[in-house]
Amino acid sequence: MNRWEKKVAVVTGASSGIGAEIAKDLAKAGMVVVGLARRVEKVEELRKQLSLDDQKLFHPVKCDVTREEEIIEVFAWIEQNLGGVDVLINNAGIGRTDKKLVDADSDLMRSTVDTNLLGVVFCTREAFQSMKRRSSPGHIININSILGHTIPMVPQEFGGFNFNIYPATKFGVTALTEMYRQEFFRERFGVKITSISPGVVQTEIGPAFTEEALKHVPHLKPGDISAAVLYTLSTPAHVNVQELLIRPTCSF
């Protein structure tokens, strides 16, 4: 991680769960971190958990990744105030629903697609252009899901939870990662792209993923995914880990 010291990392969905852990760990590793979230007050509280030195490296910024204009404004601010983006963690995602896909709410489906797919596209575009302007061999990491590769039957322990359109968006992230890999290769200045696909993680994404709900279900913790991010970033310049699948032991 030494080569990333004082470099700028942007983490979307940094207010809780996986994004919060990643943002904290990158700051502790010496990176300048911009934590994006709609609930920016949560990111500000997160900042207070860091040491005074690490707090100086941490910048909570309000941004809704479903709004392209907000994304453009934030990345322009980063360019002007911090010099540009070196690492982007596309973590923001939603997937909570009690309805089947055939009964799905239109606004919920649009919001899920806008967050999980278009948010990735727009943030990646802005981050890559920042890297390209500076010929910076940066790294973009998409927090994907096992559901971007396979769709299991929903276990009975998950009650009325339904995957709905969520897996379709995550399969889209898998496809996007390969498209970006090909495009970055053609640019030939060393930008990496990685998809990290966890199994069940204890997060705030929905009631089926709380600590209580997962008490008897094998699951991962947000810190496990953050550790995978740090590993991926620590690889040598000639190594691109394109995909990491992470499952809890003895999981479905």
Side-chain angles (χ1 to χ4, degrees):
M1 287 294 293
N2 289 342
R3 72 189 184 94
W4 297 113
E5 190 171 349
K6 297 300 187 290
K7 298 290 187 179
V8 177
V10 176
V11 182
T12 70
S15 60
S16 64
I18 294 171
E21 286 298 314
I22 294 172
K24 286 192 298 183
D25 286 348
L26 292 180
K28 291 175 183 177
M31 294 196 73
V32 177
V33 176
V34 180
L36 305 184
R38 289 177 296 181
R39 301 178 298 173
V40 70
E41 66 280 359
K42 293 277 189 179
V43 189
E44 290 166 349
E45 287 298 317
L46 184 69
R47 182 176 180 268
K48 294 175 184 177
Q49 299 174 24
L50 299 169
S51 69
L52 291 178
D53 286 341
D54 291 341
Q55 285 184 32
K56 296 173 184 176
L57 301 173
F58 198 97
H59 303 271
V61 178
K62 187 177 187 304
C63 182
D64 181 347
V65 298
T66 68
R67 297 183 176 275
E68 183 183 3
E69 66 277 11
E70 290 190 21
I71 293 171
I72 292 171
E73 289 175 5
V74 165
F75 279 84
W77 178 87
I78 294 169
E79 200 81 14
Q80 294 166 8
N81 293 276
L82 302 175
V85 180
D86 301 291
V87 169
L88 168 65
I89 313 295
N90 281 312
N91 167 74
I94 59 173
R96 180 177 179 176
T97 181
D98 299 324
K99 294 185 178 180
K100 299 176 184 176
L101 187 57
V102 291
D103 301 321
D105 175 84
S106 300
D107 289 338
L108 175 62
M109 287 194 289
R110 290 192 184 94
S111 179
T112 304
V113 171
D114 286 346
T115 303
N116 297 2
L117 272 178
L118 292 181
V120 170
V121 170
F122 296 142
C123 287
T124 299
R125 180 190 66 195
E126 298 303 309
F128 180 76
Q129 292 304 321
S130 175
M131 295 170 190
K132 186 175 182 178
R133 280 191 291 271
R134 297 172 294 121
S135 296
S136 171
H139 200 145
I140 295 171
I141 298 177
N142 297 327
I143 304 302
N144 197 345
S145 170
I146 289 292
L147 295 177
H149 304 271
T150 184
I151 307 174
M153 293 291 288
V154 180
Q156 291 182 346
E157 296 95 326
F158 281 32
F161 180 81
N162 289 283
F163 291 135
N164 202 279
I165 202 169
Y166 181 81
T169 64
K170 291 303 185 178
F171 265 81
V173 171
T174 301
L176 283 175
T177 301
E178 173 58 16
M179 289 305 304
Y180 285 132
R181 187 193 66 80
Q182 295 180 19
E183 292 186 3
F184 295 171
F185 173 76
R186 295 188 193 106
E187 295 285 346
R188 295 189 180 277
F189 64 91
V191 176
K192 299 183 185 185
I193 180 78
T194 299
S195 167
I196 295 179
S197 297
V200 178
V201 183
Q202 179 190 317
T203 66
E204 293 183 10
I205 197 169
F209 297 93
T210 63
E211 184 174 7
E212 179 62 26
L214 294 175
K215 188 163 50 177
H216 302 297
V217 178
H219 63 278
L220 301 163
K221 299 293 182 69
D224 301 324
I225 315 310
S226 182
V229 168
L230 293 179
Y231 158 71
T232 303
L233 288 173
S234 70
T235 55
H238 69 283
V239 175
N240 188 127
V241 178
Q242 181 175 343
E243 180 68 58
L244 277 180
L245 297 174
I246 308 173
R247 283 186 170 98
T249 307
C250 300
S251 70
F252 61 88

